[in-house]
Amino acid sequence: MFSKLLIANRGEIACRIIRTAKRLGIRTVAVYSDVDGDALHVSLADEAIRIGPAPAAESYLAIGRIIEAARSMRADAIHPGYGFLSENAEFAEAVENAGMVFVGPTPAAIRAMGLKDAAKTLMESAGVPVVPGYHGEEQDANFLAARAAEIGYPVLIKARAGGGGKGMRRVERQEDFAAALEAARREAEAAFGDGSVLLEKYLTKPRHIEVQVFGDRHGNIVHLFERDCSLQRRHQKVIEEAPAPGMTAEVRRAMGDAAVRAAQAIGYVGAGTVEFIADVTNGLWPDHFYFMEMNTRLQVEHPVTEAITGIDLVEWQLRVAAGEPLPKKQADIGIEGCSFEARLYAEDPGRGFLPATGRLAHLSFPDGSARIDSGVRQGDTITTYYDPLIAKLIVHGPSRSAALNRLQAALKKCRIGGTVTNLDFLIRLTEEQEFRAGRPDTGLIDREIERLTAPVVPDDEALALAAIISTGVLAPAVSADPWSSLGSWQIWGDAHRTIAIDQAGGRATVTLAARGRDQFAVRAGASTLPILVLERFEDGARLEVAGQKRVIRFAKDGDTLTLFHNGRNLVFHLPDALTGGHGSEIADDELIAPMPGLVKLVRVGAGEAVSKGQPLVVMEAMKMELTLAASREGTVASVHVAEGAQVSEGTVLVTLMEEAAQ
């Protein structure tokens, strides 16, 4: 076994690898960029070394710097994690050429599966069914448009390199094909350095089912059953489960055999995942699933496989890389119970899942009821440089319904303050009837998107609690706050204070009246609630609300207040009383950056006429590309940014002439 392992990654996967390596007695080395010097993975490792500035291209994607770091730390193996360089054949070769072991497949296997078009051709020859489509070398736009017409709409444009939903576009109509192709190519080039694409027939009711495979250097290959990853948005997985619901022994055997044939075709070594798309229009059938791609690395969702098999996949990776045979044969691997994983992100579902940034002013997870894989701690900052994953919550139960109930309960116990998250979106997904009934498909989220992302409107009690928290009277050092020192008597009656609160896209006005020390009457909506403060904590208080005693928890960071109320994280914003809260209103003649990021393309210039919905600027942040369009018809007055500029949220990018002046 290895004596020292360098992890060429960051975040939760680096932390995950470090924990298993330590259990096996292997010393670990973390690498970090300039913004990650105090990150959790750095503190967990035995040693750490800086590899460059914050941009990934200058640090976590810099092969030479990582190899030099490993040499200087005298590591004898490198684990790539997932993402970044994990499926880069040049990196695997560089590791081997430096005399170290790459914890993953051979460079040849990575290359064989790294380009989806070549992989599909190889799979066809190995007898693995593939999705109807085009995966040839010709990349002329007109040629691809003709092939798409032959395949029949809807079609899926997919980058031949990489993964994670980057460089992927679903096209419903022929007239939309050219623009979608251009966007997919541009995104693929930025993410993978390869703008080539392939085309696939888009199945109208598909399920995404993948099979975990493992091979060793002695010719042994097994599968560890399947995972269902059908709950997706923008082609990125949201909630995964194992085993797949409704899976029959016949289909499982057919998929498992196909996955093993795929791995055998390239002499696969290590952990890999063979992804299939299944047409479930008439249910799951052994002749209605197709090869999509193979991920030559550990998957984000690997914990659900670990939960149902009892196998530590990172340990297997390390043992296989060290030359050991697989610890188990196929007949020795079984399924026990069901497992779910939910990906908790800093993103705003109500704004098209835009990545969010901010300091994690409060972060707590349920104790014992769920496995938490996270790379951040309370007080850490979510930046624009990397994926905004906060944590993965993994649960296990004796049945699917029991496991799903545990997932829902665990999500409701999460408390996150300081940034917008997809937590409520995940909770609503666990309540979705089609999903609960075991009928997920990749279109489910899109069909229910309005309901799943609708803002949570706080009840009167939540508004009252938010208002009283905003005054500062619940802070432990309450005597320092002038509002808390107000007595119950003044010449014109009780002391009153009116507070404006923004939440769920609207503003509420709440009135507080002091009735005595630590006693208040709060009017919110149609209710007037008597509130008595009984005890104060650092992040909460014990109150008596309308005669009922309860403990509340909250996090306040600047003008953002997060109230943890009835299993929900309610985010409130406290407008500036001096401006009346109108300073952030945006006129429809300004195109505003909805998130911090990089300006990739500027499609217009001053004096140009534009139509409503016309793309004006393309931005990129957190590995995601966003096209910003004109809100109305008009003429461009000025363009305020250039391509390549890094802008903050709220930056004015383009201004249209006032309608009266045109």
Side-chain angles (χ1 to χ4, degrees):
M1 187 53 74
F2 311 114
S3 60
K4 187 181 286 188
L5 175 71
L6 182 138
I7 297 98
N9 216 299
R10 64 177 303 281
E12 70 87 13
I13 187 56
C15 297
R16 162 75 186 88
I17 295 165
I18 289 169
R19 290 188 177 101
T20 288
K22 284 192 171 186
R23 181 172 59 78
L24 296 176
I26 303 171
R27 289 185 60 81
T28 55
V29 179
V31 295
Y32 63 90
S33 70
D34 286 345
V35 295
D36 275 346
D38 296 322
L40 180 59
H41 74 282
V42 174
S43 65
L44 288 178
D46 297 301
E47 301 173 76
I49 183 169
R50 176 188 176 273
I51 53 171
E58 302 174 52
S59 51
Y60 297 106
L61 290 172
I63 293 175
R65 292 182 179 182
I66 293 174
I67 296 297
E68 183 55 38
R71 279 196 181 115
S72 67
M73 302 301 284
R74 300 184 181 278
D76 48 2
I78 295 180
H79 196 307
Y82 57 71
F84 292 133
L85 295 170
S86 62
E87 295 180 281
N88 187 301
E90 286 70 28
F91 179 54
E93 281 183 341
V95 173
E96 293 179 354
N97 292 338
M100 292 173 281
V101 175
F102 179 75
V103 182
T106 64
I110 295 174
R111 287 194 175 95
M113 290 297 180
L115 298 179
K116 298 183 181 70
D117 51 359
K120 287 179 182 294
T121 300
L122 179 61
M123 291 301 99
E124 282 182 310
S125 64
V128 180
V130 301
V131 182
Y134 172 75
H135 41 85
E137 291 293 326
E138 179 60 61
Q139 293 291 305
D140 176 75
N142 292 330
F143 176 86
L144 292 175
R147 298 291 78 73
E150 290 176 4
I151 295 167
Y153 288 92
V155 298
L156 193 65
I157 302 173
K158 184 185 292 187
R160 71 172 184 172
K166 304 298 183 296
M168 192 179 296
R169 293 292 187 278
R170 174 182 172 179
V171 189
E172 297 285 350
R173 307 177 306 162
Q174 187 170 356
E175 50 265 43
D176 298 330
F177 183 84
L181 176 62
E182 180 185 351
R185 281 176 164 168
R186 186 172 56 248
E187 196 170 77
E189 184 68 40
F192 317 120
D194 185 346
S196 298
V197 301
L198 54 85
L199 306 177
E200 289 180 354
K201 175 65 179 175
Y202 187 87
L203 303 180
T204 55
K205 194 169 183 182
R207 277 175 62 182
H208 182 137
I209 302 175
E210 60 189 31
V211 177
Q212 177 74 58
V213 294
F214 236 104
D216 63 22
R217 300 183 188 278
H218 306 277
N220 303 306
I221 295 179
V222 299
H223 70 80
L224 284 75
F225 308 110
E226 79 282 350
R227 300 183 286 256
D228 193 300
C229 307
S230 299
L231 285 189
Q232 302 178 7
R233 49 95 186 152
R234 285 204 306 266
H235 308 295
Q236 291 188 324
K237 301 161 188 174
V238 177
I239 295 179
E240 302 99 344
E241 63 179 296
M247 178 64 70
T248 66
E250 183 183 16
V251 178
R252 175 172 290 129
R253 184 166 51 253
M255 275 194 179
D257 290 347
V260 169
R261 286 200 304 274
Q264 289 171 334
I266 56 173
Y268 197 77
V269 173
T273 299
V274 181
E275 300 195 350
F276 296 105
I277 193 82
D279 183 353
V280 295
T281 306
N282 298 304
L284 272 172
W285 293 93
D287 57 350
H288 280 64
F289 67 88
Y290 310 98
F291 172 86
M292 287 199 302
E293 60 185 326
M294 183 175 184
N295 292 293
T296 53
R297 54 171 167 81
L298 197 66
Q299 290 281 89
V300 179
E301 58 273 18
H302 76 273
V304 295
T305 295
E306 294 183 322
I308 66 166
T309 61
I311 294 170
D312 183 330
L313 298 190
V314 174
E315 178 179 345
W316 274 34
Q317 282 188 297
L318 293 170
R319 292 194 180 282
V320 165
E324 297 181 21
L326 290 175
K328 291 186 177 183
K329 299 184 182 300
Q330 188 69 64
D332 301 324
I333 305 169
I335 296 175
E336 182 176 343
C338 296
S339 179
F340 286 90
E341 174 184 288
R343 303 187 188 188
L344 184 53
Y345 280 97
E347 63 183 12
D348 191 345
R351 299 173 66 200
F353 295 94
L354 283 179
T357 58
R359 190 179 73 88
L360 295 169
H362 184 96
L363 183 65
S364 62
F365 299 111
D367 292 330
S369 60
R371 167 180 163 178
I372 308 296
D373 283 12
S374 179
V376 294
R377 299 159 294 190
Q378 183 167 299
D380 286 353
T381 298
I382 304 296
T383 74
T384 61
Y385 292 106
Y386 313 117
D387 190 270
L389 179 69
I390 295 173
K392 302 183 310 193
L393 277 73
I394 305 99
V395 298
H396 181 259
S399 66
R400 187 176 188 273
S401 60
L404 188 52
N405 288 339
R406 289 179 184 177
L407 177 64
Q408 185 180 95
L411 289 168
K412 289 184 176 182
K413 292 178 182 177
C414 293
R415 297 171 180 162
I416 306 169
T419 185
V420 179
T421 75
N422 67 337
L423 179 57
D424 192 73
F425 168 74
L426 293 173
I427 292 172
R428 291 182 182 184
L429 264 180
T430 65
E431 299 167 344
E432 216 295 315
Q433 291 305 304
E434 284 292 295
F435 178 47
R436 291 199 72 88
R439 295 190 295 269
D441 67 80
T442 59
L444 188 151
I445 289 178
D446 285 344
R447 292 194 302 272
E448 302 294 334
I449 193 66
E450 290 188 12
R451 186 184 63 79
L452 292 171
T453 60
V456 179
V457 179
D459 58 21
D460 291 349
E461 180 178 310
L463 286 171
L465 293 173
I468 201 167
I469 294 167
S470 72
T471 66
V473 301
L474 298 186
V478 69
S479 60
D481 187 278
W483 167 248
S484 66
S485 64
L486 290 176
S488 60
W489 183 88
Q490 62 181 33
I491 193 168
W492 294 290
D494 293 340
H496 286 76
R497 181 169 177 176
T498 300
I499 297 171
I501 299 176
D502 291 339
Q503 202 276 343
R507 175 166 296 180
T509 300
V510 182
T511 303
L512 282 76
R515 294 287 172 80
R517 183 169 182 79
D518 290 339
Q519 297 183 53
F520 305 90
V522 186
R523 181 168 182 79
S527 306
T528 299
L529 300 173
I531 297 179
L532 174 62
V533 182
L534 302 174
E535 185 181 358
R536 297 173 173 86
F537 325 128
E538 186 63 34
D539 63 345
R542 190 165 64 91
L543 308 175
E544 184 178 292
V545 182
Q548 297 184 1
K549 294 180 181 179
R550 65 192 60 191
V551 173
I552 66 166
R553 302 283 179 179
F554 59 85
K556 192 170 183 295
D557 193 40
D559 64 354
T560 300
L561 167 66
T562 307
L563 173 65
F564 309 117
H565 183 66
N566 293 336
R568 304 286 184 177
N569 288 208
L570 301 176
V571 180
F572 300 89
H573 298 284
L574 311 175
D576 189 334
L578 296 178
T579 66
H582 300 302
S584 63
E585 290 185 5
I586 299 170
D588 66 357
D589 57 1
E590 292 180 338
L591 185 69
I592 305 295
M595 61 183 180
L598 178 71
V599 176
K600 293 284 290 182
L601 287 177
V602 178
R603 293 181 172 274
V604 293
E608 289 188 34
V610 298
S611 57
K612 182 177 180 180
Q614 179 179 332
L616 304 184
V617 175
V618 177
M619 287 185 62
E620 181 185 90
M622 295 179 177
K623 303 195 295 183
M624 187 189 94
E625 187 178 279
L626 179 70
T627 299
L628 306 178
S631 61
R632 64 171 173 83
E633 183 181 280
T635 303
V636 176
S638 54
V639 177
H640 303 281
V641 293
E643 293 178 2
Q646 192 79 32
V647 298
S648 58
E649 181 178 351
T651 300
V652 178
L653 307 175
V654 177
T655 302
L656 301 182
M657 291 182 183
E658 295 183 12
E659 293 187 273
Q662 296 184 55

